[in-house]
PDB file of all heavy atoms in Angstrom:
ATOM      1  N   GLU A   1     -11.057   5.002   4.596  1.00 85.00           N
ATOM      2  CA  GLU A   1     -10.920   5.577   5.933  1.00 85.00           C
ATOM      3  C   GLU A   1     -11.526   4.592   6.916  1.00 85.00           C
ATOM      4  O   GLU A   1     -12.633   4.103   6.731  1.00 85.00           O
ATOM      5  CB  GLU A   1     -11.644   6.929   6.013  1.00 85.00           C
ATOM      6  CG  GLU A   1     -11.538   7.580   7.389  1.00 85.00           C
ATOM      7  CD  GLU A   1     -12.267   8.906   7.461  1.00 85.00           C
ATOM      8  OE1 GLU A   1     -11.806   9.866   6.830  1.00 85.00           O
ATOM      9  OE2 GLU A   1     -13.332   8.971   8.139  1.00 85.00           O
ATOM     10  N   CYS A   2     -10.776   4.269   7.969  1.00 88.00           N
ATOM     11  CA  CYS A   2     -11.258   3.316   8.963  1.00 88.00           C
ATOM     12  C   CYS A   2     -12.497   3.874   9.659  1.00 88.00           C
ATOM     13  O   CYS A   2     -12.495   5.004  10.156  1.00 88.00           O
ATOM     14  CB  CYS A   2     -10.159   3.042   9.988  1.00 88.00           C
ATOM     15  SG  CYS A   2     -10.651   1.904  11.301  1.00 88.00           S
ATOM     16  N   GLU A   3     -13.555   3.072   9.684  1.00 85.00           N
ATOM     17  CA  GLU A   3     -14.812   3.523  10.288  1.00 85.00           C
ATOM     18  C   GLU A   3     -14.748   3.560  11.809  1.00 85.00           C
ATOM     19  O   GLU A   3     -15.633   4.107  12.471  1.00 85.00           O
ATOM     20  CB  GLU A   3     -15.971   2.621   9.844  1.00 85.00           C
ATOM     21  CG  GLU A   3     -15.971   1.203  10.409  1.00 85.00           C
ATOM     22  CD  GLU A   3     -15.096   0.238   9.614  1.00 85.00           C
ATOM     23  OE1 GLU A   3     -14.390   0.685   8.685  1.00 85.00           O
ATOM     24  OE2 GLU A   3     -15.116  -0.963   9.922  1.00 85.00           O
ATOM     25  N   LYS A   4     -13.664   2.983  12.387  1.00 85.00           N
ATOM     26  CA  LYS A   4     -13.559   2.941  13.848  1.00 85.00           C
ATOM     27  C   LYS A   4     -12.670   4.049  14.423  1.00 85.00           C
ATOM     28  O   LYS A   4     -12.950   4.558  15.505  1.00 85.00           O
ATOM     29  CB  LYS A   4     -13.035   1.577  14.292  1.00 85.00           C
ATOM     30  CG  LYS A   4     -14.017   0.440  14.021  1.00 85.00           C
ATOM     31  CD  LYS A   4     -13.539  -0.860  14.621  1.00 85.00           C
ATOM     32  CE  LYS A   4     -14.564  -1.967  14.413  1.00 85.00           C
ATOM     33  NZ  LYS A   4     -14.137  -3.252  15.009  1.00 85.00           N
ATOM     34  N   CYS A   5     -11.586   4.393  13.690  1.00 89.00           N
ATOM     35  CA  CYS A   5     -10.666   5.396  14.240  1.00 89.00           C
ATOM     36  C   CYS A   5     -10.322   6.499  13.251  1.00 89.00           C
ATOM     37  O   CYS A   5      -9.532   7.395  13.581  1.00 89.00           O
ATOM     38  CB  CYS A   5      -9.387   4.731  14.740  1.00 89.00           C
ATOM     39  SG  CYS A   5      -8.348   4.076  13.419  1.00 89.00           S
ATOM     40  N   ALA A   6     -10.871   6.451  12.025  1.00 87.00           N
ATOM     41  CA  ALA A   6     -10.698   7.486  10.995  1.00 87.00           C
ATOM     42  C   ALA A   6      -9.296   7.519  10.387  1.00 87.00           C
ATOM     43  O   ALA A   6      -9.000   8.402   9.583  1.00 87.00           O
ATOM     44  CB  ALA A   6     -11.058   8.866  11.546  1.00 87.00           C
ATOM     45  N   ASN A   7      -8.410   6.558  10.722  1.00 87.00           N
ATOM     46  CA  ASN A   7      -7.106   6.494  10.082  1.00 87.00           C
ATOM     47  C   ASN A   7      -7.228   5.809   8.720  1.00 87.00           C
ATOM     48  O   ASN A   7      -8.250   5.198   8.403  1.00 87.00           O
ATOM     49  CB  ASN A   7      -6.113   5.713  10.959  1.00 87.00           C
ATOM     50  CG  ASN A   7      -5.540   6.569  12.074  1.00 87.00           C
ATOM     51  OD1 ASN A   7      -4.646   7.371  11.854  1.00 87.00           O
ATOM     52  ND2 ASN A   7      -6.071   6.400  13.280  1.00 87.00           N
ATOM     53  N   GLU A   8      -6.175   5.882   7.927  1.00 83.00           N
ATOM     54  CA  GLU A   8      -6.190   5.266   6.596  1.00 83.00           C
ATOM     55  C   GLU A   8      -6.090   3.750   6.693  1.00 83.00           C
ATOM     56  O   GLU A   8      -5.408   3.213   7.562  1.00 83.00           O
ATOM     57  CB  GLU A   8      -5.009   5.818   5.783  1.00 83.00           C
ATOM     58  CG  GLU A   8      -4.917   5.255   4.378  1.00 83.00           C
ATOM     59  CD  GLU A   8      -3.709   5.779   3.628  1.00 83.00           C
ATOM     60  OE1 GLU A   8      -3.413   6.995   3.775  1.00 83.00           O
ATOM     61  OE2 GLU A   8      -3.057   5.000   2.923  1.00 83.00           O
ATOM     62  N   MET A   9      -6.782   3.061   5.789  1.00 84.00           N
ATOM     63  CA  MET A   9      -6.688   1.603   5.691  1.00 84.00           C
ATOM     64  C   MET A   9      -5.933   1.252   4.411  1.00 84.00           C
ATOM     65  O   MET A   9      -6.208   1.817   3.350  1.00 84.00           O
ATOM     66  CB  MET A   9      -8.078   0.962   5.675  1.00 84.00           C
ATOM     67  CG  MET A   9      -8.887   1.234   6.926  1.00 84.00           C
ATOM     68  SD  MET A   9     -10.441   0.302   6.979  1.00 84.00           S
ATOM     69  CE  MET A   9      -9.842  -1.324   7.472  1.00 84.00           C
ATOM     70  N   GLN A  10      -4.972   0.323   4.521  1.00 77.00           N
ATOM     71  CA  GLN A  10      -4.163  -0.070   3.372  1.00 77.00           C
ATOM     72  C   GLN A  10      -4.542  -1.464   2.909  1.00 77.00           C
ATOM     73  O   GLN A  10      -4.904  -2.330   3.707  1.00 77.00           O
ATOM     74  CB  GLN A  10      -2.675  -0.045   3.735  1.00 77.00           C
ATOM     75  CG  GLN A  10      -2.145   1.342   4.034  1.00 77.00           C
ATOM     76  CD  GLN A  10      -0.676   1.317   4.409  1.00 77.00           C
ATOM     77  OE1 GLN A  10      -0.090   0.248   4.615  1.00 77.00           O
ATOM     78  NE2 GLN A  10      -0.068   2.489   4.509  1.00 77.00           N
ATOM     79  N   LEU A  11      -4.443  -1.686   1.594  1.00 74.00           N
ATOM     80  CA  LEU A  11      -4.754  -2.989   1.018  1.00 74.00           C
ATOM     81  C   LEU A  11      -3.558  -3.916   1.186  1.00 74.00           C
ATOM     82  O   LEU A  11      -2.429  -3.554   0.846  1.00 74.00           O
ATOM     83  CB  LEU A  11      -5.092  -2.840  -0.468  1.00 74.00           C
ATOM     84  CG  LEU A  11      -5.624  -4.088  -1.174  1.00 74.00           C
ATOM     85  CD1 LEU A  11      -6.939  -4.534  -0.554  1.00 74.00           C
ATOM     86  CD2 LEU A  11      -5.815  -3.820  -2.657  1.00 74.00           C
ATOM     87  N   ARG A  12      -3.804  -5.097   1.722  1.00 73.00           N
ATOM     88  CA  ARG A  12      -2.752  -6.087   1.940  1.00 73.00           C
ATOM     89  C   ARG A  12      -3.221  -7.455   1.456  1.00 73.00           C
ATOM     90  O   ARG A  12      -4.381  -7.637   1.109  1.00 73.00           O
ATOM     91  CB  ARG A  12      -2.361  -6.152   3.417  1.00 73.00           C
ATOM     92  CG  ARG A  12      -1.870  -4.817   3.969  1.00 73.00           C
ATOM     93  CD  ARG A  12      -1.355  -4.952   5.377  1.00 73.00           C
ATOM     94  NE  ARG A  12      -0.901  -3.677   5.914  1.00 73.00           N
ATOM     95  CZ  ARG A  12      -0.358  -3.529   7.109  1.00 73.00           C
ATOM     96  NH1 ARG A  12      -0.209  -4.578   7.900  1.00 73.00           N
ATOM     97  NH2 ARG A  12       0.030  -2.339   7.523  1.00 73.00           N
ATOM     98  N   THR A  13      -2.302  -8.416   1.465  1.00 67.00           N
ATOM     99  CA  THR A  13      -2.624  -9.784   1.064  1.00 67.00           C
ATOM    100  C   THR A  13      -2.279 -10.736   2.197  1.00 67.00           C
ATOM    101  O   THR A  13      -1.191 -10.671   2.761  1.00 67.00           O
ATOM    102  CB  THR A  13      -1.854 -10.194  -0.202  1.00 67.00           C
ATOM    103  OG1 THR A  13      -2.269  -9.369  -1.290  1.00 67.00           O
ATOM    104  CG2 THR A  13      -2.142 -11.647  -0.565  1.00 67.00           C
ATOM    105  N   GLY A  14      -3.213 -11.616   2.539  1.00 67.00           N
ATOM    106  CA  GLY A  14      -3.002 -12.595   3.600  1.00 67.00           C
ATOM    107  C   GLY A  14      -3.319 -13.994   3.119  1.00 67.00           C
ATOM    108  O   GLY A  14      -3.491 -14.246   1.921  1.00 67.00           O
ATOM    109  N   ARG A  15      -3.429 -14.936   4.048  1.00 62.00           N
ATOM    110  CA  ARG A  15      -3.697 -16.342   3.700  1.00 62.00           C
ATOM    111  C   ARG A  15      -5.017 -16.521   2.982  1.00 62.00           C
ATOM    112  O   ARG A  15      -5.198 -17.434   2.189  1.00 62.00           O
ATOM    113  CB  ARG A  15      -3.695 -17.204   4.970  1.00 62.00           C
ATOM    114  CG  ARG A  15      -2.342 -17.385   5.598  1.00 62.00           C
ATOM    115  CD  ARG A  15      -2.433 -18.359   6.748  1.00 62.00           C
ATOM    116  NE  ARG A  15      -3.351 -17.897   7.768  1.00 62.00           N
ATOM    117  CZ  ARG A  15      -3.840 -18.664   8.752  1.00 62.00           C
ATOM    118  NH1 ARG A  15      -3.507 -19.933   8.800  1.00 62.00           N
ATOM    119  NH2 ARG A  15      -4.640 -18.159   9.655  1.00 62.00           N
ATOM    120  N   PHE A  16      -5.982 -15.641   3.282  1.00 65.00           N
ATOM    121  CA  PHE A  16      -7.317 -15.790   2.715  1.00 65.00           C
ATOM    122  C   PHE A  16      -7.611 -14.749   1.640  1.00 65.00           C
ATOM    123  O   PHE A  16      -8.757 -14.464   1.333  1.00 65.00           O
ATOM    124  CB  PHE A  16      -8.368 -15.695   3.832  1.00 65.00           C
ATOM    125  CG  PHE A  16      -8.129 -16.686   4.940  1.00 65.00           C
ATOM    126  CD1 PHE A  16      -7.639 -16.274   6.167  1.00 65.00           C
ATOM    127  CD2 PHE A  16      -8.356 -18.029   4.739  1.00 65.00           C
ATOM    128  CE1 PHE A  16      -7.406 -17.187   7.185  1.00 65.00           C
ATOM    129  CE2 PHE A  16      -8.125 -18.949   5.745  1.00 65.00           C
ATOM    130  CZ  PHE A  16      -7.646 -18.535   6.965  1.00 65.00           C
ATOM    131  N   GLY A  17      -6.551 -14.158   1.048  1.00 68.00           N
ATOM    132  CA  GLY A  17      -6.751 -13.205  -0.030  1.00 68.00           C
ATOM    133  C   GLY A  17      -6.461 -11.773   0.388  1.00 68.00           C
ATOM    134  O   GLY A  17      -5.858 -11.508   1.429  1.00 68.00           O
ATOM    135  N   LYS A  18      -6.912 -10.843  -0.442  1.00 74.00           N
ATOM    136  CA  LYS A  18      -6.631  -9.427  -0.218  1.00 74.00           C
ATOM    137  C   LYS A  18      -7.620  -8.831   0.782  1.00 74.00           C
ATOM    138  O   LYS A  18      -8.792  -9.179   0.782  1.00 74.00           O
ATOM    139  CB  LYS A  18      -6.692  -8.679  -1.546  1.00 74.00           C
ATOM    140  CG  LYS A  18      -5.632  -9.153  -2.541  1.00 74.00           C
ATOM    141  CD  LYS A  18      -5.782  -8.482  -3.889  1.00 74.00           C
ATOM    142  CE  LYS A  18      -4.746  -9.009  -4.871  1.00 74.00           C
ATOM    143  NZ  LYS A  18      -4.881  -8.421  -6.214  1.00 74.00           N
ATOM    144  N   PHE A  19      -7.124  -7.923   1.604  1.00 82.00           N
ATOM    145  CA  PHE A  19      -7.965  -7.292   2.610  1.00 82.00           C
ATOM    146  C   PHE A  19      -7.391  -5.924   2.968  1.00 82.00           C
ATOM    147  O   PHE A  19      -6.227  -5.621   2.687  1.00 82.00           O
ATOM    148  CB  PHE A  19      -8.074  -8.156   3.875  1.00 82.00           C
ATOM    149  CG  PHE A  19      -6.774  -8.284   4.635  1.00 82.00           C
ATOM    150  CD1 PHE A  19      -6.543  -7.514   5.767  1.00 82.00           C
ATOM    151  CD2 PHE A  19      -5.794  -9.175   4.232  1.00 82.00           C
ATOM    152  CE1 PHE A  19      -5.350  -7.618   6.477  1.00 82.00           C
ATOM    153  CE2 PHE A  19      -4.596  -9.295   4.932  1.00 82.00           C
ATOM    154  CZ  PHE A  19      -4.381  -8.513   6.062  1.00 82.00           C
ATOM    155  N   PHE A  20      -8.222  -5.087   3.562  1.00 84.00           N
ATOM    156  CA  PHE A  20      -7.792  -3.780   4.043  1.00 84.00           C
ATOM    157  C   PHE A  20      -7.488  -3.884   5.527  1.00 84.00           C
ATOM    158  O   PHE A  20      -8.222  -4.536   6.269  1.00 84.00           O
ATOM    159  CB  PHE A  20      -8.883  -2.729   3.830  1.00 84.00           C
ATOM    160  CG  PHE A  20      -9.112  -2.374   2.390  1.00 84.00           C
ATOM    161  CD1 PHE A  20     -10.072  -3.037   1.647  1.00 84.00           C
ATOM    162  CD2 PHE A  20      -8.371  -1.374   1.783  1.00 84.00           C
ATOM    163  CE1 PHE A  20     -10.294  -2.710   0.323  1.00 84.00           C
ATOM    164  CE2 PHE A  20      -8.589  -1.037   0.466  1.00 84.00           C
ATOM    165  CZ  PHE A  20      -9.550  -1.707  -0.272  1.00 84.00           C
ATOM    166  N   LYS A  21      -6.419  -3.217   5.956  1.00 84.00           N
ATOM    167  CA  LYS A  21      -6.085  -3.186   7.379  1.00 84.00           C
ATOM    168  C   LYS A  21      -5.779  -1.756   7.786  1.00 84.00           C
ATOM    169  O   LYS A  21      -5.090  -1.019   7.080  1.00 84.00           O
ATOM    170  CB  LYS A  21      -4.882  -4.074   7.696  1.00 84.00           C
ATOM    171  CG  LYS A  21      -4.585  -4.129   9.205  1.00 84.00           C
ATOM    172  CD  LYS A  21      -3.473  -5.113   9.522  1.00 84.00           C
ATOM    173  CE  LYS A  21      -3.242  -5.181  11.027  1.00 84.00           C
ATOM    174  NZ  LYS A  21      -2.163  -6.118  11.381  1.00 84.00           N
ATOM    175  N   CYS A  22      -6.274  -1.373   8.951  1.00 87.00           N
ATOM    176  CA  CYS A  22      -6.061  -0.029   9.473  1.00 87.00           C
ATOM    177  C   CYS A  22      -4.577   0.181   9.793  1.00 87.00           C
ATOM    178  O   CYS A  22      -3.920  -0.716  10.330  1.00 87.00           O
ATOM    179  CB  CYS A  22      -6.904   0.188  10.728  1.00 87.00           C
ATOM    180  SG  CYS A  22      -6.741   1.848  11.438  1.00 87.00           S
ATOM    181  N   THR A  23      -4.056   1.352   9.437  1.00 81.00           N
ATOM    182  CA  THR A  23      -2.647   1.654   9.700  1.00 81.00           C
ATOM    183  C   THR A  23      -2.383   1.964  11.177  1.00 81.00           C
ATOM    184  O   THR A  23      -1.234   2.037  11.594  1.00 81.00           O
ATOM    185  CB  THR A  23      -2.195   2.857   8.852  1.00 81.00           C
ATOM    186  OG1 THR A  23      -3.083   3.960   9.080  1.00 81.00           O
ATOM    187  CG2 THR A  23      -2.206   2.513   7.371  1.00 81.00           C
ATOM    188  N   ASN A  24      -3.453   2.136  11.941  1.00 85.00           N
ATOM    189  CA  ASN A  24      -3.320   2.364  13.383  1.00 85.00           C
ATOM    190  C   ASN A  24      -3.223   1.013  14.093  1.00 85.00           C
ATOM    191  O   ASN A  24      -4.205   0.267  14.162  1.00 85.00           O
ATOM    192  CB  ASN A  24      -4.524   3.158  13.902  1.00 85.00           C
ATOM    193  CG  ASN A  24      -4.455   3.414  15.399  1.00 85.00           C
ATOM    194  OD1 ASN A  24      -3.447   3.129  16.045  1.00 85.00           O
ATOM    195  ND2 ASN A  24      -5.529   3.953  15.953  1.00 85.00           N
ATOM    196  N   ASP A  25      -2.032   0.681  14.594  1.00 78.00           N
ATOM    197  CA  ASP A  25      -1.816  -0.633  15.217  1.00 78.00           C
ATOM    198  C   ASP A  25      -2.719  -0.854  16.419  1.00 78.00           C
ATOM    199  O   ASP A  25      -3.093  -1.991  16.735  1.00 78.00           O
ATOM    200  CB  ASP A  25      -0.351  -0.782  15.640  1.00 78.00           C
ATOM    201  CG  ASP A  25       0.582  -0.863  14.441  1.00 78.00           C
ATOM    202  OD1 ASP A  25       0.116  -1.290  13.371  1.00 78.00           O
ATOM    203  OD2 ASP A  25       1.762  -0.495  14.580  1.00 78.00           O
ATOM    204  N   GLU A  26      -3.069   0.207  17.129  1.00 84.00           N
ATOM    205  CA  GLU A  26      -3.937   0.062  18.305  1.00 84.00           C
ATOM    206  C   GLU A  26      -5.370  -0.279  17.901  1.00 84.00           C
ATOM    207  O   GLU A  26      -6.127  -0.798  18.712  1.00 84.00           O
ATOM    208  CB  GLU A  26      -3.916   1.355  19.120  1.00 84.00           C
ATOM    209  CG  GLU A  26      -2.558   1.663  19.731  1.00 84.00           C
ATOM    210  CD  GLU A  26      -2.578   2.939  20.548  1.00 84.00           C
ATOM    211  OE1 GLU A  26      -3.669   3.566  20.634  1.00 84.00           O
ATOM    212  OE2 GLU A  26      -1.525   3.306  21.105  1.00 84.00           O
ATOM    213  N   CYS A  27      -5.724   0.029  16.664  1.00 85.00           N
ATOM    214  CA  CYS A  27      -7.074  -0.281  16.175  1.00 85.00           C
ATOM    215  C   CYS A  27      -7.124  -1.685  15.587  1.00 85.00           C
ATOM    216  O   CYS A  27      -7.867  -2.534  16.046  1.00 85.00           O
ATOM    217  CB  CYS A  27      -7.501   0.759  15.131  1.00 85.00           C
ATOM    218  SG  CYS A  27      -9.096   0.404  14.330  1.00 85.00           S
ATOM    219  N   GLY A  28      -6.311  -1.936  14.542  1.00 81.00           N
ATOM    220  CA  GLY A  28      -6.242  -3.265  13.947  1.00 81.00           C
ATOM    221  C   GLY A  28      -7.471  -3.678  13.158  1.00 81.00           C
ATOM    222  O   GLY A  28      -7.645  -4.853  12.831  1.00 81.00           O
TER     223      GLY A  28
END
């Protein structure tokens, strides 16, 4: 759960490895 907006965070993969990103685009 995103600590900033309480929306769900999903696990993704980027240039620097795996990370969680908030599903709320306005939060990011």
